Amino acid sequence: MKPVKLILCGWGPYREKQEIDFTGFKARGLFLITGQTGAGKTTVFDALTYALYGNMSGSIREKASVRSDFAGADMPTYVELYMTHNGQEYQIYRNPEYLRPKKRGGKDSTSLTKEREKAVFTGPDGVSVEGSSEVTRKVQELLKLDYRQFKQLSMIAQGEFAKLLSAPPSEKTKIFREIFGTDLYEKMAACLKARSGTVYKKVMECRHKMDGDIEMLIRDGIPLERSDSYFYEGVIAFLEEEKEKWKARWQESRNAYTQNEGLVQKLNAQVAENEKIHSLYEKLEKEKQRWGNLLQRQEEMKEKEALLTLQEKAAGLRLADMKVEAAKNDVCAMEKEIAASFEDIKRLEQERDGKAAFYAGRQEIALGYEEEKNYQEARQALEQEGKRYAGKEKELGKLQKNYLAAEQEEDAAKASYEKAQRAYRHGIAGILAENLAEGMPCPVCGSVHHPSPAVSADTLPSEENVKSLKKDYEKKQKLCVKLHGETAACMAHTTELKRRLEEMAQKVGSLEQKREERSDLAASYIAEHSKEDFEKQMKQCEQRLVLIQEKKDALDKRKKELLAACEKKEKLTDDFQEKMKKVGFMGEEAYRKALADEKEMSRLRSEIERYRQDCNLCRQMIGHLTEEVGNAKPEDAEILSRQLQKARQEGKELFDRHLALENKLQSVKRGIASLLEKQGQLEQFMERYSLFKDLDDAANGNNKKRLVFEQFVLASYFEDILVAANIRLRLMSGGRYELKRAEEVNDGRSKDNLEIEVMDYYTGKYRSIKTLSGGEMFKASLALALGMSDVVQSAGGGLKVEALFVDEGFGSLDSESLEQACLTLQSLVEKDRLIGIISHVPELREKIGNQIQIEKTNAGSRAHVVLS
């Protein structure tokens, strides 16, 4: 990156727009920025760095405080950089966020507004990118340097590399890690340590699991001795021997248990057969007792069968009986309904007679409601129109008063203006007459004779005064015309309102007369009832008349139906009496006595049927059981039970012993399988752990040199930087000093190895870098910065630093050292670099002809480019 032109506006000490053109420095790329202290030399570097990355070059300056205190409210604050990179031209515009006076608040306004941050990047193809972060990202992609790397390689600010020289190794590690991207090696070392720890955890986890298996075998009764560290191969061999012993004992117990099972099955069969014979004898005895009980109920069942026969006959007559009863109920219901209809008709006719007068005057009442509505609306409209008329009349009086006052003010202003105008014209004539002489032509009429010249007045009004009085008169004249128009319009509106008010009053009077002519019935009803009540009562009257007629028609029809129902009842009664005699009932009383509900009949029928089934089933069971028992005789059940119980107890003991032996055998088998499986895993984990542990020790400094992998790589870069730095330092120090990386680490706990020591060839000894003087420290810092620039460019894959900026530090050099530093920087210029130096050292002004001179004034600084 090479700057072509830098524009600063309202920035720091620069009040107005300043343009710094770098194109004249191409022939000799070394230039000096010079000026008084506080003039704004470093501000040039700040502006350039801010244009690229949105940040300042130094560590103590902030972008929020860059707006110039000299800048006016209309003066913006921004920087604009034109630059080239790899032969292509680019443009960057940025302004920070800052407060400024509002532009519309007037010159004396103290209100502030915030100007938002803005950034625009324009490439060689004319395509623009906007936004602070987007522009910064675009610059980083283009230069392949971020803000910190740019400061370290291109912007040598005050004291920055002096800090790097004396910084502790840990701080150097952070700086070089960011520059050379060696955090990859640190991550690799951390990854190896993590992998080593992970595999070690798996090794210990596998050993713990194997110890757990052995402890479980001991709890299961396997004769193993507890230990803090087991020999797993020996334990597995011992368990293989134990497995064979337990297997033989298990087979022996299995055979004994099998023999006992055969005896138990034989005794179970004998007990079951004996229980079966005993059960058959018991069932046969119970069935014989049951047959005796059934015979005792035989007479009872005959009586119930006779009763069921009568109930079934009565049930056959139930339908005819129900028809007679229904006919009687129908006749009774019709008689009650007819009586109720008589009462309803009588009540409705009484209600109709009570509303006869109301119904006769219904049309007058309906018309009265409509007239009442019109009357209330007319009264309300009359009140509203009266209020409007009163308001408009009041407004008219106020307008008339204002018009009269305005007319008086107009007359007064007109008189003042005409008086001043006459005085002004007479005064002008007097002034002209003062310079007239006989024979001299008059400037107004051209006459050379002046018999009676005008005399100038003592108090002459000015032309501005006359114009002001005229303007005041015209203004009041316009106001008077305006008020006259408003008053005339208001008067016309008031007259119209008065006419409408009189018409409405006549309408209200006419409606009031109609109200007085209304009948007493209509007037009282309307006063006491709403229109909705009237409509509701009218509807009720009409519905009542219709209902009375409907009920009368229904009553006549119901009387005819009652006669038919009485005839039907008589006929059904005669039929029911004949059917009772036919089935054997001597009268209705006998029928009623035999009558039972279906549920009772069903219960009696089921009882009789169940008795018959029980008798048949009992006879069959007695025959079947007698045949099945035959000649078999039951044995003593108690003796057989004791023999079976003894065999089962022996079998349980044999089973428990067999199960215990099987559990131990399975435990030994599972233990052997688990230990063999985990032993294979343990061997694999141990092999991997050995490999990762060696790599971990080598990468993380657990070695003879106590050097971590990243430090090894950084040390290589650091030594390359020191080699490149010593080329400049030997030149600037006259061959006295040479920088060297310290071989030994002072702190035994630290694995950093980036300490710097300096070789003093005058004494032939190495000493600490902190023992250098201020001027020597600046030489070493400059040499280190230039060396780092060379190494980073070499390691950066084509990264090219085309511009270098050095801020101060030359004041601590003597004349010889200053000459050597200039020669060093001049050698860099020969490599097509642009190098800018900030300094107020007089010798540098003489040695460097290309200069940017900063002039400091009490109204802000100005920059001038001077070419040699």
Side-chain angles (χ1 to χ4, degrees):
M1 186 281 296
K2 272 190 177 181
V4 176
K5 182 169 65 174
L6 178 66
I7 299 174
L8 302 87
C9 185
W11 189 274
Y14 300 98
R15 175 184 180 182
E16 300 176 346
K17 180 177 178 181
Q18 300 288 319
E19 291 190 10
I20 301 176
D21 190 355
F22 295 91
T23 54
F25 301 149
K26 288 185 178 179
R28 294 181 57 82
L30 184 64
F31 67 91
L32 176 68
I33 301 178
T34 181
Q36 298 175 338
T37 301
K41 301 186 295 298
T42 305
T43 303
V44 176
F45 286 180
D46 286 343
L48 194 147
T49 309
Y50 176 76
L52 291 172
Y53 295 99
N55 277 301
M56 303 298 150
S57 63
S59 58
I60 63 172
R61 288 179 288 274
E62 298 181 355
K63 62 181 181 180
S65 60
V66 298
R67 177 165 171 81
S68 177
D69 294 334
F70 300 106
D74 296 333
M75 184 62 65
T77 296
Y78 67 90
V79 294
E80 193 170 4
L81 174 64
Y82 296 83
M83 68 177 190
T84 61
H85 186 72
N86 292 332
Q88 300 288 331
E89 295 182 356
Y90 301 88
Q91 179 183 352
I92 303 173
Y93 171 92
R94 283 187 194 261
N95 70 264
E97 184 178 273
Y98 61 91
L99 294 175
R100 60 169 177 79
K102 290 184 178 179
K103 296 180 179 179
R104 297 183 180 181
K107 295 182 179 180
D108 298 331
S109 176
T110 58
S111 58
L112 300 176
T113 185
K114 182 181 289 186
E115 190 74 26
R116 298 294 181 184
E117 186 175 8
K118 183 181 178 182
V120 181
F121 176 94
T122 305
D125 54 358
V127 178
S128 298
V129 175
E130 297 186 9
S132 180
S133 58
E134 292 297 318
V135 170
T136 302
R137 183 184 60 78
K138 195 72 176 177
V139 171
Q140 290 178 356
E141 291 177 358
L142 179 67
L143 304 185
K144 297 180 174 61
L145 295 171
D146 61 17
Y147 166 64
R148 185 182 294 274
Q149 292 168 341
F150 179 79
K151 283 179 58 180
Q152 292 165 346
L153 299 181
S154 293
M155 192 70 65
I156 306 177
Q158 297 180 13
E160 292 288 336
F161 273 87
K163 293 179 184 177
L164 180 60
L165 279 173
S166 58
S170 60
E171 186 65 26
K172 293 189 185 75
T173 299
K174 292 179 182 178
I175 296 172
F176 293 146
R177 178 183 295 149
E178 188 172 348
I179 293 175
F180 297 109
T182 58
D183 54 340
L184 172 65
Y185 304 105
E186 182 191 28
K187 292 177 182 177
M188 184 187 298
C191 180
L192 289 172
K193 180 179 283 296
R195 293 291 294 275
S196 174
T198 301
V199 177
Y200 179 72
K201 288 180 181 178
K202 291 182 178 179
V203 169
M204 295 309 297
E205 182 180 351
C206 190
R207 292 181 68 89
H208 288 323
K209 289 181 179 179
M210 294 179 75
D211 292 346
D213 291 342
I214 295 172
E215 290 294 327
M216 186 177 293
L217 289 170
I218 293 173
R219 287 194 298 272
D220 291 342
I222 309 303
L224 290 168
E225 294 183 1
R226 284 187 170 86
S227 174
D228 295 334
S229 178
Y230 291 102
F231 176 57
Y232 301 118
E233 290 81 358
V235 171
I236 294 171
F238 173 77
L239 291 175
E240 290 288 353
E241 295 176 0
E242 286 293 309
K243 182 178 73 171
E244 297 301 323
K245 294 179 182 179
W246 288 107
K247 188 174 181 180
R249 294 170 65 185
W250 175 80
Q251 187 64 43
E252 181 182 349
S253 68
R254 181 179 181 183
N255 293 335
Y257 176 72
T258 303
Q259 292 176 1
N260 178 267
E261 280 290 306
L263 178 60
V264 170
Q265 289 177 2
K266 181 180 178 180
L267 290 173
N268 273 330
Q270 291 179 359
V271 170
E273 182 65 23
N274 189 55
E275 289 177 350
K276 179 180 177 183
I277 293 172
H278 273 285
S279 176
L280 290 172
Y281 272 98
E282 290 176 358
K283 288 181 180 178
L284 180 59
E285 186 62 27
K286 288 181 180 179
E287 290 298 325
K288 288 180 178 180
Q289 292 177 359
R290 182 182 175 196
W291 176 250
N293 295 331
L294 289 171
L295 291 176
Q296 291 177 1
R297 296 179 60 195
Q298 189 172 12
E299 290 300 325
E300 178 188 353
M301 289 297 109
K302 288 181 180 180
E303 293 177 358
K304 289 185 177 181
E305 287 177 355
L307 177 61
L308 179 61
T309 302
L310 286 175
Q311 288 177 348
E312 288 176 346
K313 289 179 179 181
L317 297 172
R318 182 61 181 160
L319 179 60
D321 185 21
M322 291 175 63
K323 288 181 178 180
V324 172
E325 188 67 26
K328 291 180 180 180
N329 292 336
D330 288 344
V331 170
C332 184
M334 287 182 182
E335 289 174 349
K336 290 181 180 180
E337 186 177 346
I338 289 171
S341 295
F342 271 119
E343 293 297 326
D344 286 345
I345 292 171
K346 184 177 179 181
R347 177 180 55 80
L348 291 171
E349 286 178 344
Q350 289 175 353
E351 292 177 358
R352 178 197 62 190
D353 296 341
K355 296 290 183 179
F358 163 77
Y359 191 73
R362 62 186 181 278
Q363 292 181 352
E364 183 183 3
I365 295 173
L367 181 60
Y369 275 116
E370 189 66 28
E371 291 175 350
E372 189 67 21
K373 178 183 176 182
N374 295 336
Y375 172 71
Q376 296 298 335
E377 290 177 353
R379 280 195 61 184
Q380 186 176 5
L382 179 62
E383 290 177 2
Q384 292 178 352
E385 198 69 17
K387 291 178 181 178
R388 292 179 59 190
Y389 173 72
K392 187 59 69 174
E393 195 173 29
K394 185 177 179 181
E395 180 184 354
L396 176 61
K398 185 177 179 181
L399 287 172
Q400 288 174 340
K401 184 178 179 181
N402 292 339
Y403 171 69
L404 292 175
E407 190 176 34
Q408 292 175 359
E409 291 179 1
E410 178 193 3
D411 293 340
K414 180 179 180 182
S416 298
Y417 163 64
E418 291 176 349
K419 180 179 179 181
Q421 187 180 33
R422 285 193 300 272
Y424 177 72
R425 287 200 300 269
H426 295 167
I428 291 296
I431 292 171
L432 293 174
E434 288 180 353
N435 297 321
L436 290 178
E438 191 65 26
M440 180 186 298
C442 177
V444 178
C445 63
S447 174
V448 295
H449 300 289
H450 317 292
S452 57
V455 180
S456 83
D458 295 334
T459 56
L460 178 65
S462 63
E463 185 179 0
E464 289 76 10
N465 189 19
V466 174
K467 289 180 179 180
S468 175
L469 290 172
K470 182 181 179 182
K471 186 176 181 182
D472 182 56
Y473 162 64
E474 291 174 347
K475 179 180 179 182
K476 291 181 179 179
Q477 187 181 37
K478 290 179 181 179
L479 177 61
C480 190
V481 171
K482 178 184 176 183
L483 289 174
H484 180 270
E486 292 177 353
T487 303
C490 185
M491 181 176 290
H493 194 184
T494 304
T495 303
E496 177 63 20
L497 287 175
K498 184 177 181 181
R499 183 188 63 77
R500 289 173 58 187
L501 187 64
E502 291 173 351
E503 290 178 355
M504 288 181 179
Q506 291 177 359
K507 183 178 180 181
V508 169
S510 175
L511 291 172
E512 284 181 347
Q513 186 176 358
K514 288 183 179 180
R515 290 182 75 203
E516 292 174 357
E517 293 173 355
R518 195 175 298 158
S519 68
D520 294 340
L521 173 65
S524 61
Y525 185 87
I526 293 172
E528 296 174 0
H529 300 83
S530 65
K531 186 178 181 181
E532 288 75 13
D533 294 338
F534 167 72
E535 292 174 349
K536 185 177 179 181
Q537 290 185 12
M538 279 298 301
K539 186 175 181 182
Q540 289 175 351
C541 288
E542 292 171 354
Q543 289 176 348
R544 189 183 299 113
L545 292 174
V546 173
L547 185 60
I548 288 171
Q549 187 61 41
E550 288 177 352
K551 283 187 175 292
K552 285 182 177 180
D553 295 341
L555 180 60
D556 293 340
K557 182 179 178 182
R558 206 61 174 161
K559 286 178 180 179
K560 294 177 182 179
E561 292 174 353
L562 177 60
L563 292 174
C566 290
E567 293 175 358
K568 181 180 179 182
K569 182 188 73 169
E570 294 298 330
K571 185 177 182 303
L572 290 173
T573 302
D574 294 341
D575 291 342
F576 175 64
Q577 294 294 332
E578 289 179 6
K579 288 181 180 179
M580 279 195 303
K581 292 177 182 180
K582 189 175 182 179
V583 297
F585 288 110
M586 299 308 294
E588 188 173 347
E589 183 179 355
Y591 160 74
R592 298 290 178 195
K593 186 176 180 180
L595 189 62
D597 60 5
E598 184 63 31
K599 186 176 181 182
E600 175 64 21
M601 293 171 61
S602 177
R603 183 192 64 76
L604 187 58
R605 193 181 294 114
S606 298
E607 184 180 355
I608 295 169
E609 183 65 26
R610 189 164 55 251
Y611 174 76
R612 292 172 180 172
Q613 291 176 357
D614 288 345
C615 290
N616 291 331
L617 182 62
C618 187
R619 283 194 297 268
Q620 292 176 5
M621 285 297 295
I622 290 171
H624 175 70
L625 288 172
T626 302
E627 182 181 355
E628 189 173 357
V629 169
N631 299 323
K633 299 294 181 182
E635 299 182 26
D636 190 345
E638 186 176 353
I639 295 174
L640 288 175
S641 178
R642 285 199 299 269
Q643 291 176 352
L644 180 60
Q645 184 68 24
K646 182 180 178 182
R648 284 177 176 174
Q649 182 64 32
E650 291 176 354
K652 183 177 182 302
E653 293 174 357
L654 289 171
F655 177 77
D656 291 342
R657 182 170 178 272
H658 174 70
L659 183 61
L661 290 170
E662 185 175 6
N663 288 337
K664 289 188 177 181
L665 179 61
Q666 294 300 326
S667 178
V668 171
K669 287 182 178 179
R670 287 194 301 269
I672 293 172
S674 179
L675 288 171
L676 287 173
E677 180 185 359
K678 293 181 176 67
Q679 187 181 29
Q681 295 176 357
L682 180 61
E683 290 175 356
Q684 294 178 2
F685 289 147
M686 286 298 296
E687 183 179 355
R688 293 180 65 192
Y689 175 68
S690 177
L691 173 63
F692 282 117
K693 182 60 177 173
D694 291 343
L695 293 173
D696 175 25
D697 291 343
N700 286 286
N702 297 322
N703 48 56
K704 294 181 180 180
K705 292 187 177 182
R706 296 187 59 78
L707 190 63
V708 299
F709 190 21
E710 184 188 19
Q711 287 295 320
F712 175 77
V713 176
L714 288 176
S716 175
Y717 279 123
F718 191 47
E719 289 181 351
D720 291 343
I721 291 171
L722 293 180
V723 170
N726 284 329
I727 297 174
R728 277 80 179 205
L729 183 59
R730 281 195 293 269
L731 176 62
M732 288 189 286
S733 64
R736 178 178 179 180
Y737 295 118
E738 183 177 295
L739 302 178
K740 182 178 182 297
R741 182 175 66 87
E743 295 292 337
E744 297 182 359
V745 181
N746 295 330
D747 187 354
R749 296 171 297 176
S750 174
K751 297 183 177 66
D752 297 329
N753 197 13
L754 298 180
E755 287 281 7
I756 301 176
E757 57 184 6
V758 61
M759 177 64 181
D760 188 348
Y761 284 104
Y762 284 8
T763 62
K765 295 180 180 181
Y766 287 102
R767 59 188 173 111
S768 172
I769 194 71
K770 296 179 182 179
T771 61
L772 295 177
S773 66
E776 292 169 341
M777 184 67 78
F778 172 73
K779 296 178 189 178
S781 300
L782 182 60
L784 185 63
L786 299 176
M788 183 182 290
S789 176
D790 290 344
V791 172
V792 169
Q793 288 187 77
S794 176
L799 181 65
K800 188 176 182 182
V801 179
E802 298 178 297
L804 184 65
F805 306 97
V806 184
D807 189 357
E808 289 294 355
F810 294 93
S812 59
L813 303 181
D814 55 28
S815 58
E816 182 180 355
S817 298
L818 187 62
E819 182 67 29
Q820 293 167 347
C822 289
L823 290 175
T824 300
L825 294 174
Q826 191 62 46
S827 66
L828 298 176
V829 173
E830 295 172 358
K831 297 179 182 180
D832 194 26
R833 287 186 185 173
L834 183 65
I835 300 178
I837 301 172
I838 291 178
S839 180
H840 54 268
V841 177
E843 290 83 349
L844 285 177
R845 297 181 191 174
E846 298 175 0
K847 295 179 180 295
I848 303 174
N850 292 333
Q851 297 179 5
I852 298 176
Q853 295 179 356
I854 310 299
E855 180 185 355
K856 180 180 180 182
T857 69
N858 58 2
S861 299
R862 291 190 293 270
H864 305 283
V865 177
V866 178
L867 302 177
S868 59

